[in-house]
Amino acid sequence: MFDVVQSVGDVAQLAKIRIDYNVFRLHYTFTVVMLLTFFVILTSTQIVGSPIACEYSTDKNLMELLDTYCYIHATFLNPDAFGKSVGDEIPHPGIDSSQNPTQFRYYRYYQWVYFIFFLQAFMFYIPEWLWKIWEGQKINNLVSSFEDVLLNETERRKKMDTIIRYLTKTWKMHYWYAVKYIFCEFLSLANVVGQMYLLDKFFDGRFKTFGIRVVQFSRTQKQFTTYSNTTLNSKWDPKIMLFPRVTKCMFRRYGKTSNIETYDALCIMTLNIISEKLFIFLWFWLVILAALSSINLLVNLILVVIPIFRTYALRLRLHHINFTKLHALIMHGNYGDFFLLDLLSLNVDNILFTELVREISNELPGKQIVLQI
């Protein structure tokens, strides 16, 4: 299992050759590593310790049976009891004397939490995997030789001429190359939104606003948080409502007289104290990532629709190039040409890229562009 995690983690490492932008990288690097880390934390905790500990009697065999049964089946609480006072009205948040099953809220997710993290990590890597296939190592083939610091001038000039010939012959032919990348960015954004929706379904509709409710509760917590018999009494705590520390479990079996015996056990959910922290962080990260991805996708769509902004985008890294002349080159091509030039600028130094732009402008059909730098 850990070998699989290590292998996927190696895939998420940053490559030396840049074929995408920073926001897109966040999906398959930091996010994938974070989710795999969460997966390892919960898996190792479950292997070393016990994910659930149920109490009913001193019979050791019965205790082990209850632990196994209650972990496989759902535990439950009464949502109305979260507003009652611990120590005065109830022993633990969500646990009261109610025997009406229609009032219970059942917790079934805890058996699947670590699988969810692994599945999420896999889904976050899919857009990058798809883009690598479509990209076809084009950027790597164009700039890989320039990484060699011992490359002599003759070899460097030969490599430069090869790039120039390729770009001039394929000028205005890279539009779909760029469209495929934008589609992968859209797929990444859709994945974030889709995962928020799936997690909300996974937690029975209580995850979508989880982070907001946690913030609201933390701001007003002092108003209704007290200590009763040295136990923290926080009414309507959204963290405990979604990840309860203590739940109930019903177990039935035949007794010695062939009558059905019912065991109403209390179960301590040891993993929930960890899961709570992990999912709070995950909620905020997904919201931040969705916002960054939306802005990044919007910027790229603006660059597709409004060509003049492409020049400004390149000028952010190439301050020493004359704006008017650079704009003439950019306007001479389509968005795909700009996208390819932008990726090249991320992988070569400014001096080399300046020379590359000048040579391309001189070699374009009709030599309509003269770039003075």
Side-chain angles (χ1 to χ4, degrees), residues 58-67 253:
T58 57
D59 187 344
K60 183 177 180 181
N61 293 329
L62 179 58
M63 296 283 285
E64 293 178 353
L65 178 62
L66 281 174
D67 289 349
R253 70 174 183 177

PDB file of all heavy atoms in Angstrom, residues 58-67 253:
ATOM      1  N   THR A  58     -18.071  -5.561  30.862  1.00  0.00           N
ATOM      2  CA  THR A  58     -16.670  -5.929  31.096  1.00  0.00           C
ATOM      3  C   THR A  58     -16.284  -7.206  30.367  1.00  0.00           C
ATOM      4  O   THR A  58     -15.133  -7.643  30.461  1.00  0.00           O
ATOM      5  CB  THR A  58     -16.417  -6.109  32.600  1.00  0.00           C
ATOM      6  OG1 THR A  58     -17.317  -7.110  33.119  1.00  0.00           O
ATOM      7  CG2 THR A  58     -16.625  -4.787  33.338  1.00  0.00           C
ATOM      8  N   ASP A  59     -17.229  -7.811  29.651  1.00  0.00           N
ATOM      9  CA  ASP A  59     -16.949  -9.030  28.895  1.00  0.00           C
ATOM     10  C   ASP A  59     -16.064  -8.673  27.689  1.00  0.00           C
ATOM     11  O   ASP A  59     -16.508  -7.999  26.758  1.00  0.00           O
ATOM     12  CB  ASP A  59     -18.268  -9.648  28.426  1.00  0.00           C
ATOM     13  CG  ASP A  59     -18.069 -11.013  27.766  1.00  0.00           C
ATOM     14  OD1 ASP A  59     -16.915 -11.334  27.400  1.00  0.00           O
ATOM     15  OD2 ASP A  59     -19.063 -11.749  27.617  1.00  0.00           O
ATOM     16  N   LYS A  60     -14.817  -9.147  27.716  1.00  0.00           N
ATOM     17  CA  LYS A  60     -13.862  -8.783  26.676  1.00  0.00           C
ATOM     18  C   LYS A  60     -14.302  -9.273  25.306  1.00  0.00           C
ATOM     19  O   LYS A  60     -14.167  -8.556  24.302  1.00  0.00           O
ATOM     20  CB  LYS A  60     -12.482  -9.344  27.021  1.00  0.00           C
ATOM     21  CG  LYS A  60     -11.406  -8.950  26.036  1.00  0.00           C
ATOM     22  CD  LYS A  60     -10.040  -9.478  26.463  1.00  0.00           C
ATOM     23  CE  LYS A  60      -8.974  -9.056  25.454  1.00  0.00           C
ATOM     24  NZ  LYS A  60      -7.637  -9.574  25.844  1.00  0.00           N
ATOM     25  N   ASN A  61     -14.834 -10.502  25.243  1.00  0.00           N
ATOM     26  CA  ASN A  61     -15.274 -11.055  23.965  1.00  0.00           C
ATOM     27  C   ASN A  61     -16.423 -10.232  23.387  1.00  0.00           C
ATOM     28  O   ASN A  61     -16.484  -9.974  22.181  1.00  0.00           O
ATOM     29  CB  ASN A  61     -15.694 -12.513  24.133  1.00  0.00           C
ATOM     30  CG  ASN A  61     -14.537 -13.420  24.476  1.00  0.00           C
ATOM     31  OD1 ASN A  61     -13.397 -13.169  24.065  1.00  0.00           O
ATOM     32  ND2 ASN A  61     -14.795 -14.482  25.246  1.00  0.00           N
ATOM     33  N   LEU A  62     -17.349  -9.835  24.267  1.00  0.00           N
ATOM     34  CA  LEU A  62     -18.466  -9.022  23.800  1.00  0.00           C
ATOM     35  C   LEU A  62     -17.993  -7.652  23.342  1.00  0.00           C
ATOM     36  O   LEU A  62     -18.493  -7.105  22.352  1.00  0.00           O
ATOM     37  CB  LEU A  62     -19.505  -8.879  24.916  1.00  0.00           C
ATOM     38  CG  LEU A  62     -20.739  -8.026  24.586  1.00  0.00           C
ATOM     39  CD1 LEU A  62     -21.475  -8.592  23.373  1.00  0.00           C
ATOM     40  CD2 LEU A  62     -21.665  -7.930  25.789  1.00  0.00           C
ATOM     41  N   MET A  63     -17.015  -7.093  24.032  1.00  0.00           N
ATOM     42  CA  MET A  63     -16.481  -5.787  23.640  1.00  0.00           C
ATOM     43  C   MET A  63     -15.868  -5.840  22.250  1.00  0.00           C
ATOM     44  O   MET A  63     -16.085  -4.953  21.423  1.00  0.00           O
ATOM     45  CB  MET A  63     -15.447  -5.329  24.664  1.00  0.00           C
ATOM     46  CG  MET A  63     -16.008  -5.095  26.055  1.00  0.00           C
ATOM     47  SD  MET A  63     -16.906  -3.548  26.191  1.00  0.00           S
ATOM     48  CE  MET A  63     -15.556  -2.403  26.226  1.00  0.00           C
ATOM     49  N   GLU A  64     -15.074  -6.878  21.982  1.00  0.00           N
ATOM     50  CA  GLU A  64     -14.456  -7.019  20.654  1.00  0.00           C
ATOM     51  C   GLU A  64     -15.524  -7.219  19.584  1.00  0.00           C
ATOM     52  O   GLU A  64     -15.408  -6.696  18.467  1.00  0.00           O
ATOM     53  CB  GLU A  64     -13.478  -8.194  20.665  1.00  0.00           C
ATOM     54  CG  GLU A  64     -12.252  -7.957  21.545  1.00  0.00           C
ATOM     55  CD  GLU A  64     -11.326  -9.161  21.573  1.00  0.00           C
ATOM     56  OE1 GLU A  64     -11.721 -10.212  21.009  1.00  0.00           O
ATOM     57  OE2 GLU A  64     -10.228  -9.049  22.149  1.00  0.00           O
ATOM     58  N   LEU A  65     -16.577  -7.988  19.931  1.00  0.00           N
ATOM     59  CA  LEU A  65     -17.671  -8.207  18.990  1.00  0.00           C
ATOM     60  C   LEU A  65     -18.389  -6.896  18.685  1.00  0.00           C
ATOM     61  O   LEU A  65     -18.698  -6.602  17.525  1.00  0.00           O
ATOM     62  CB  LEU A  65     -18.651  -9.232  19.572  1.00  0.00           C
ATOM     63  CG  LEU A  65     -19.894  -9.539  18.725  1.00  0.00           C
ATOM     64  CD1 LEU A  65     -19.480 -10.145  17.390  1.00  0.00           C
ATOM     65  CD2 LEU A  65     -20.836 -10.472  19.475  1.00  0.00           C
ATOM     66  N   LEU A  66     -18.620  -6.092  19.711  1.00  0.00           N
ATOM     67  CA  LEU A  66     -19.284  -4.800  19.520  1.00  0.00           C
ATOM     68  C   LEU A  66     -18.434  -3.863  18.666  1.00  0.00           C
ATOM     69  O   LEU A  66     -18.962  -3.163  17.799  1.00  0.00           O
ATOM     70  CB  LEU A  66     -19.579  -4.155  20.877  1.00  0.00           C
ATOM     71  CG  LEU A  66     -20.789  -4.675  21.654  1.00  0.00           C
ATOM     72  CD1 LEU A  66     -20.848  -4.048  23.035  1.00  0.00           C
ATOM     73  CD2 LEU A  66     -22.082  -4.411  20.891  1.00  0.00           C
ATOM     74  N   ASP A  67     -17.126  -3.830  18.911  1.00  0.00           N
ATOM     75  CA  ASP A  67     -16.245  -2.971  18.121  1.00  0.00           C
ATOM     76  C   ASP A  67     -16.334  -3.310  16.638  1.00  0.00           C
ATOM     77  O   ASP A  67     -16.465  -2.424  15.783  1.00  0.00           O
ATOM     78  CB  ASP A  67     -14.797  -3.118  18.600  1.00  0.00           C
ATOM     79  CG  ASP A  67     -14.577  -2.490  19.961  1.00  0.00           C
ATOM     80  OD1 ASP A  67     -15.474  -1.777  20.431  1.00  0.00           O
ATOM     81  OD2 ASP A  67     -13.504  -2.722  20.543  1.00  0.00           O
ATOM     82  N   ARG A 253     -28.776  -9.919  19.681  1.00  0.00           N
ATOM     83  CA  ARG A 253     -28.433 -11.332  19.505  1.00  0.00           C
ATOM     84  C   ARG A 253     -29.346 -12.171  20.406  1.00  0.00           C
ATOM     85  O   ARG A 253     -29.996 -11.643  21.312  1.00  0.00           O
ATOM     86  CB  ARG A 253     -26.981 -11.591  19.840  1.00  0.00           C
ATOM     87  CG  ARG A 253     -26.635 -11.468  21.311  1.00  0.00           C
ATOM     88  CD  ARG A 253     -25.213 -11.885  21.575  1.00  0.00           C
ATOM     89  NE  ARG A 253     -24.896 -11.824  23.006  1.00  0.00           N
ATOM     90  CZ  ARG A 253     -23.721 -12.206  23.505  1.00  0.00           C
ATOM     91  NH1 ARG A 253     -22.754 -12.629  22.705  1.00  0.00           N
ATOM     92  NH2 ARG A 253     -23.511 -12.141  24.805  1.00  0.00           N
TER      93      ARG A 253
END
